[in-house]
Amino acid sequence: MRFIKILLLTTLLALSLSAREQVNVNFSNLQINDFIKLVSKVTQKNILINNKINGTVNFVSTTPVYDDELIGILISVLESKGYTLVKMGSLYQILRSTEAAKHNVAVIKPGKHLYGSIMVTQTLHIKAENVDIVAAKIRYLISKTAKLMTMKESNTLIITDYPKNIETIKQVIKDINTNKQAIVKIISIKHANAKKLQTKLVAISKSIFNQKIVVDKVKIILDENINALIVIGIQKNVTKIAALVEKMDVESHVSKGVQIFELKNSDAKAVAVSLNAIISKQVFSDPSLKPNISASEEINAIIAIGDPTVIKGIKLIIDELDKEKYQVYVQARIIEINKANAKNVGIKYGFDAAALSTEGIYSLATNFGGKAIAGAIGTTLASTVVGSGATSGFALGATLDFLETNSAAKSISNPSILCVNNKESSIYVGRTISVSTGSFANTGGITNAATTYKRIDIGLTLKIKPRVSSNDKVTLDVETILENVIDDGSNNVSGQPVTSKQEVKTQAILRHGESIIIGGLVKTYNRNSLNKIPILGDIPWIGEWLFSSKSKSIEQDNLVVLLTPYVIDKSEKLSQLQKDLGVLAKLQEKYNAKIFADLDKRAKEKDSRNALHDNNESK
């Protein structure tokens, strides 16, 4: 009965296939072995059955089925029983699914589209991902009996499976390759600081791209040689980073804040030190805002780099530091006054001389008045740079000149020095002497002797450092050092010169044109004098004992320094000051002439009174 059913079905299928390419297949509880025979008959394929396969198959079809689809249906039935169909030449063989890969399964070239129902082998090259990672991800897509092997050397998959499965896997891998295919883009940086830009972009990429997803990660590498950023990632992410770079690669506000300040009055190096000292104590919320200050000594300029708002503040400081500095023109008059001679002058002219007073030198100045020549002097000087305050120095100047005229004083030096505010200046007046430092002798048949010397300065050193507090007031730091040779070495056993040193340090606040006297530098020495009657005193032996006499006295010389500062707030006023000082010198001469004439008149009147008094007493 079963045979008749198969025969009828076969006849039906044969008639249908001869007429058309589709057949209607409908059966139930058909033995699998009988179904194999049916497929072989309809498809005209030879099928080798090595194992008896038990079980039945049911197939319900409402539409026609192509004959080649019967092979697929057969493979599906066999797969459920652990078998499969493998093509071997012109025939098909039924094998266990687990052993199919070992029986010369057809190998299809890479890239070729697969179709049909028979298990095949194909290699798949993986481009954008590690082959082992891809294999782990697509393993669930292969059939139970498929074989999957990876080749790390070529990053290739070898898969033995049914064509439909392989095609599905190929599509998935294609999608993976497309989505994960990393690209490399080199972006040149034109304006911004490449290193700082890289740091910012790395932080941004971590915020906008999910770092837990490997494919979304973006690498941003700095290439300092070409000043560029190398961006590695998938296309869409790299495009986003490139767009950010385009917006951020603009001229930095810091680069706009580069300014060079050429200094007119101050030293650039000193100003840079002051500015850096100020900046070092400032706290900046953003360290990048901290300005960079350096000095260019070649052009005497300050180079400032930083935020424009910060540079504005620095400019204000530079403007103040670079203001034209005060200068102080100091006239110095160094005079050596002999105390005994000054006293004699005072006696001769009826002065209380040789006593230092607060109004002048040796109280002699009190008799020279404190006013200028009537009328013209005050008017002439009132509008000058020197100012009318200088007229009070006429009496002092006349005193010194009068002492010099009468051999009671000797002018050592009259230097003038132009000092810059807060800068020390010095004057030295003296001589250099040699002092023995050692001697040696060699006696090796020839006697050689040598003495070594060093040179030392002996004289007067005057150091002045002015500090101007206003247009007409200055503080003078004065240091005076007086060195003298007491003995040139002829009066002592060592034969070495003996020197003395006196030093005075003082500070005085003076007005413009006002004078100060620095004293206290006293030199004491012995003076030997010989008095004799002319001709008779020159007679040998007798003249020395009867007509001459020797005397020894102790003399004192006082060294005084007269300083007069003149404050100059602008350089152009220096020439005006020179003219004014010339006027003062001429006025001093006129003042002296008038005062000296009065003094001579008074001295003559005194002499006349004394002579008359002596005559009256003699009578």
Side-chain angles (χ1 to χ4, degrees):
M1 185 67 184
R2 188 180 64 177
F3 178 75
I4 296 172
K5 184 188 295 186
I6 294 172
L7 183 60
L8 290 174
L9 183 59
T10 302
T11 304
L12 241 152
L13 287 173
L15 291 173
S16 298
L17 288 174
S18 62
R20 53 182 184 168
E21 296 179 355
Q22 292 178 328
V23 294
N24 290 318
V25 180
N26 233 330
F27 50 84
S28 62
N29 295 322
L30 183 65
Q31 292 292 324
I32 293 177
N33 286 329
D34 293 338
F35 180 61
I36 293 172
K37 295 176 183 178
L38 173 64
V39 173
S40 174
K41 192 73 173 176
V42 172
T43 59
Q44 296 182 358
K45 303 294 184 183
N46 298 322
I47 299 174
L48 176 62
I49 303 173
N50 292 327
N51 298 290
K52 184 178 180 181
I53 303 171
N54 298 319
T56 59
V57 59
N58 296 311
F59 184 77
V60 178
S61 175
T62 58
T63 57
V65 177
Y66 288 102
D67 58 348
D68 58 346
E69 288 181 328
L70 289 174
I71 296 293
I73 295 171
L74 176 59
I75 291 173
S76 180
V77 172
L78 294 174
E79 185 72 20
S80 65
K81 299 297 181 179
Y83 294 89
T84 189
L85 193 65
V86 177
K87 186 176 181 181
M88 300 179 65
S90 59
L91 58 85
Y92 291 89
Q93 185 177 0
I94 296 176
L95 301 171
R96 291 188 180 277
S97 299
T98 55
E99 298 176 358
K102 300 177 182 179
H103 289 76
N104 297 324
V105 175
V107 178
I108 309 300
K109 290 183 178 181
K112 198 168 184 180
H113 182 71
L114 301 179
Y115 58 88
S117 304
I118 304 300
M119 188 175 286
V120 296
T121 297
Q122 192 173 39
T123 59
L124 306 177
H125 182 65
I126 309 302
K127 296 180 180 179
E129 186 61 271
N130 184 290
V131 65
D132 288 332
I133 295 175
V134 172
K137 293 178 179 179
I138 57 92
R139 193 173 293 278
Y140 75 98
L141 295 175
I142 64 176
S143 61
K144 292 180 181 180
T145 56
K147 298 295 181 181
L148 182 65
M149 184 177 69
T150 61
M151 295 181 65
K152 295 181 180 180
E153 297 82 1
S154 58
N155 209 47
T156 302
L157 277 173
I158 301 176
I159 184 169
T160 301
D161 203 348
Y162 298 106
K164 288 185 178 180
N165 284 353
I166 294 176
E167 286 299 318
T168 300
I169 291 170
K170 286 165 65 176
Q171 184 59 49
V172 171
I173 292 175
K174 181 181 178 182
D175 292 340
I176 292 174
N177 281 339
T178 301
N179 293 334
K180 291 189 177 181
Q181 189 170 5
I183 64 169
V184 177
K185 186 167 186 177
I186 300 175
I187 307 174
S188 297
I189 306 303
K190 299 178 181 178
H191 304 291
N193 182 293
K195 189 171 184 178
K196 290 184 178 180
L197 185 57
Q198 178 206 21
T199 303
K200 293 177 182 178
L201 289 172
V202 168
I204 293 172
S205 68
K206 288 180 179 179
S207 300
I208 63 176
F209 303 134
N210 192 340
Q211 299 303 297
K212 294 182 179 180
I213 302 176
V214 178
V215 68
D216 278 350
K217 290 183 179 180
V218 175
K219 290 184 179 179
I220 303 173
I221 304 170
L222 171 64
D223 189 332
E224 295 180 350
N225 294 327
I226 60 174
N227 196 45
L229 295 178
I230 302 172
V231 184
I232 305 171
I234 60 175
Q235 179 67 53
K236 66 175 183 178
N237 290 356
V238 171
T239 301
K240 287 182 180 180
I241 295 296
L244 287 172
V245 171
E246 186 177 357
K247 293 180 180 179
M248 298 172 70
D249 185 23
V250 295
E251 189 174 1
S252 172
H253 66 280
V254 174
S255 62
K256 293 179 181 178
V258 178
Q259 289 198 35
I260 299 176
F261 301 97
E262 294 186 9
L263 304 184
K264 298 178 181 178
N265 304 294
S266 301
D267 178 67
K269 190 175 181 180
V271 172
V273 171
S274 299
L275 290 173
N276 284 319
I278 295 171
I279 292 170
S280 65
K281 296 179 181 178
Q282 303 298 311
V283 178
F284 297 89
S285 56
D286 183 359
S288 64
L289 294 177
K290 185 176 182 179
N292 186 0
I293 303 296
S294 61
S296 174
E297 296 185 39
E298 292 78 8
I299 60 174
N300 194 44
I302 295 294
I303 303 172
I305 305 174
D307 185 89
T309 56
V310 178
I311 297 298
K312 285 182 180 179
I314 291 175
K315 182 181 182 302
L316 294 176
I317 299 174
I318 292 175
D319 290 343
E320 289 297 320
L321 294 176
D322 193 37
K323 281 184 176 180
E324 186 172 1
K325 290 178 174 54
Y326 283 104
Q327 297 182 84
V328 179
Y329 183 77
V330 181
Q331 279 189 324
R333 192 172 181 182
I334 305 170
I335 297 175
E336 191 177 73
I337 302 173
N338 184 274
K339 185 176 182 180
N341 291 344
K343 185 176 182 180
N344 292 334
V345 171
I347 293 173
K348 178 179 178 180
Y349 288 92
F351 299 142
D352 180 17
L356 187 63
S357 72
T358 57
E359 297 183 18
I361 297 176
Y362 291 93
S363 70
L364 198 64
T366 59
N367 298 282
F368 284 73
K371 297 181 179 178
I373 300 173
I377 294 180
T379 305
T380 303
L381 297 177
S383 60
T384 64
V385 176
V386 175
S388 59
T391 60
S392 61
F394 282 123
L396 183 57
T399 302
L400 296 173
D401 292 339
F402 189 73
L403 290 173
E404 283 195 64
T405 303
N406 290 273
S407 301
K410 180 174 66 176
S411 179
I412 303 298
S413 179
N414 295 316
S416 297
I417 187 168
L418 185 63
C419 308
V420 177
N421 190 32
N422 284 316
K423 297 288 185 181
E424 185 182 271
S425 300
S426 63
I427 300 171
Y428 171 75
V429 179
R431 60 195 176 99
T432 304
I433 63 173
S434 298
V435 178
S436 174
T437 59
S439 61
F440 63 90
N442 295 327
T443 56
I446 300 176
T447 301
N448 296 319
T451 304
T452 58
Y453 294 89
K454 70 175 181 178
R455 307 280 285 174
I456 61 173
D457 294 328
I458 298 295
L460 175 69
T461 302
L462 178 64
K463 296 180 180 179
I464 302 172
K465 182 179 180 180
R467 285 185 288 114
V468 179
S469 56
S470 65
N471 288 343
D472 64 346
K473 189 174 290 186
V474 59
T475 300
L476 294 181
D477 291 327
V478 182
E479 181 179 356
T480 307
I481 302 173
L482 175 62
E483 296 172 302
N484 285 305
V485 178
I486 299 175
D487 183 0
D488 62 0
S490 60
N491 298 321
N492 62 74
V493 178
S494 67
Q496 295 289 340
V498 179
T499 63
S500 65
K501 181 177 180 181
Q502 294 172 295
E503 183 175 353
V504 176
K505 291 183 180 181
T506 187
Q507 189 177 76
I509 301 175
L510 301 174
R511 298 188 60 137
H512 173 77
E514 189 176 9
S515 299
I516 183 175
I517 299 170
I518 299 175
L521 302 174
V522 180
K523 179 174 66 175
T524 303
Y525 56 94
N526 295 324
R527 173 174 288 181
N528 298 320
S529 59
L530 176 63
N531 296 319
K532 60 183 179 178
I533 297 173
I535 301 175
L536 296 177
D538 294 329
I539 299 173
W541 299 104
I542 298 174
E544 182 180 353
W545 290 97
L546 298 176
F547 304 106
S548 62
S549 64
K550 294 181 179 179
S551 62
K552 186 176 182 180
S553 61
I554 298 176
E555 296 285 341
Q556 278 190 348
D557 286 345
N558 285 272
L559 192 72
V560 295
V561 181
L562 177 67
L563 299 177
T564 308
Y566 301 97
V567 180
I568 304 168
D569 57 350
K570 294 182 180 179
S571 300
E572 56 266 21
K573 288 188 178 181
L574 182 60
S575 59
Q576 181 63 44
L577 174 64
Q578 297 293 341
K579 293 179 182 178
D580 292 340
L581 293 177
V583 173
L584 280 176
K586 292 179 180 179
L587 293 175
Q588 182 74 63
E589 290 177 4
K590 292 180 181 180
Y591 185 89
N592 291 353
K594 177 177 175 56
I595 295 298
F596 293 175
D598 291 341
L599 290 176
D600 287 339
K601 182 178 178 180
R602 289 168 56 185
K604 289 177 181 178
E605 290 176 353
K606 180 182 179 183
D607 290 341
S608 298
R609 288 195 301 271
N610 290 338
L612 181 60
H613 181 268
D614 291 340
N615 290 333
N616 292 332
E617 286 187 351
S618 62
K619 291 179 180 180

